[in-house]
């Protein structure tokens, strides 16, 4: 049975906190077995304060993305990750890592992919003047912010939105959606069918 989740982080960690809360409420049938960051960040501090095992693997300490990704993979094997969740993780994983966990490696991205991939999805959506954006949970493949989509939720853009205000509303949606996607993944209810994924209901 899949139950051990490892969360990859680089920033605030609000999705990590939402996932942990959902586990404690038993809305997700598993637990956060570890948190791995690529740099010092509030998400790692929070993991420490909650006694969740955490570790930092900084790319700067490695000669190449491959070597760094291999070190990351070793940490995840030590923690025996069943499912790996990239939640605000700002680094691109090497193919060897993606291949190892393909189908058990997901990302949450603050736009309705394939619109607005990249590090400034919320800013780009505002600049484009779209009236609706949102968030996507998807399997990670070899391209950036790309792979079979598991869940998406829309968020309306208000006329007076700033990047911050819009991102806050998107995160509120993510805090509900990510735990649901993780629950489905742990329960083996996510079906991968080529480039498409869908969630089977019980
Ligand atoms: C989220 O909006 C997520 O979609 C994006 O980065 C943000 C991370 O937020 N990839 P947090 O660190 O979970 O608060």
């Amino acid at each position: 049975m899949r139950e051990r989740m490892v969360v990859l982080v680089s920033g605030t960690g609000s999705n990590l906190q939402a996932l942990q809360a959902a586990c404690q409420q038993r809305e997700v049938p598993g637990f956060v077995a570890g948190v791995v960051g690529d740099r010092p960040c509030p998400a790692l501090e929070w993991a420490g304060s909650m006694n969740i095992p955490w570790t930092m693997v900084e790319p700067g300490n490695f000669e190449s993305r491959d070597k760094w990704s291999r070190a990351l993979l070793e940490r995840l094997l030590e923690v025996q990750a069943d499912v790996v969740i990239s939640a605000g993780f700002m680094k691109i994983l090497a193919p060897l890592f993606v291949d190892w966990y393909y189908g058990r490696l997901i990302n949450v991205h603050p736009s309705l992919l394939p619109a607005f991939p990249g590090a400034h999805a919320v800013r780009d959506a505002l600049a484009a003047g779209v009236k609706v954006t949102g968030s996507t949970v998807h399997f990670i493949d070899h391209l950036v912010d790309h792979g079979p989509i598991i869940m998406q939720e829309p968020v309306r853009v208000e006329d007076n939105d700033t990047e911050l205000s819009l991102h806050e509303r998107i995160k509120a949606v993510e805090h509900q959606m990510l735990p649901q996607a993780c629950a489905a993944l742990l329960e083996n209810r996510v079906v991968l069918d080529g480039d498409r994924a869908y969630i089977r209901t019980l």
Side-chain angles (χ1 to χ4, degrees):
M1 148 127 188
R2 291 174 169 180
E3 55 180 16
R4 301 175 68 83
M5 296 179 284
V6 171
V7 184
L8 307 179
V9 295
S10 301
T12 320
S14 68
N15 278 290
L16 165 66
Q17 293 187 33
L19 183 59
Q20 168 80 350
C23 291
Q24 283 168 343
Q25 303 286 329
R26 301 310 297 160
E27 290 162 12
V28 178
F31 61 97
V32 180
V35 178
V36 182
D38 63 313
R39 60 185 179 209
C41 59
L44 288 182
E45 282 173 29
W46 181 83
S49 75
M50 298 297 288
N51 291 321
I52 300 173
W54 65 272
T55 182
M56 189 164 63
V57 188
E58 291 180 282
N61 295 336
F62 298 87
E63 287 162 24
S64 65
R65 188 192 306 278
D66 266 11
K67 289 198 168 136
W68 167 72
S69 295
R70 193 173 290 278
L72 208 62
L73 180 56
E74 280 164 11
R75 299 295 167 89
L76 268 69
L77 291 173
E78 278 165 23
V79 189
Q80 297 181 312
D82 295 318
V83 164
V84 183
I85 299 133
S86 159
F89 189 61
M90 299 305 284
K91 288 285 178 301
I92 295 166
L93 299 158
L96 67 97
F97 187 101
V98 173
D99 290 344
W100 191 281
Y101 282 109
Y102 188 73
R104 299 185 291 144
L105 171 62
I106 66 173
N107 180 42
V108 55
H109 180 79
S111 76
L112 295 175
L113 291 172
F116 311 118
H120 305 292
V122 181
R123 193 184 306 169
D124 294 346
L126 273 178
V130 297
K131 303 303 179 202
V132 178
T133 182
S135 181
T136 303
V137 177
H138 64 97
F139 285 114
I140 293 179
D141 69 8
H142 290 166
L143 302 177
V144 176
D145 296 327
H146 187 271
I149 292 170
I150 302 169
M151 292 181 81
Q152 282 187 313
E153 288 292 338
V155 173
R156 184 161 289 281
V157 180
E158 305 295 345
D159 292 343
N160 59 354
D161 258 331
T162 60
E163 186 177 350
L164 190 65
S165 66
L166 180 55
H167 202 169
E168 283 305 311
R169 289 207 309 290
I170 291 173
K171 283 194 187 191
V173 164
E174 292 178 335
H175 298 164
Q176 305 297 317
M177 180 171 63
L178 183 63
Q180 288 173 25
C182 290
L185 205 53
L186 291 177
E187 289 163 353
N188 281 319
R189 289 190 291 111
V190 184
V191 179
L192 239 178
D193 182 11
D195 292 339
R196 300 177 69 178
Y198 56 93
I199 297 181
R200 254 195 330 238
T201 45
L202 285 174

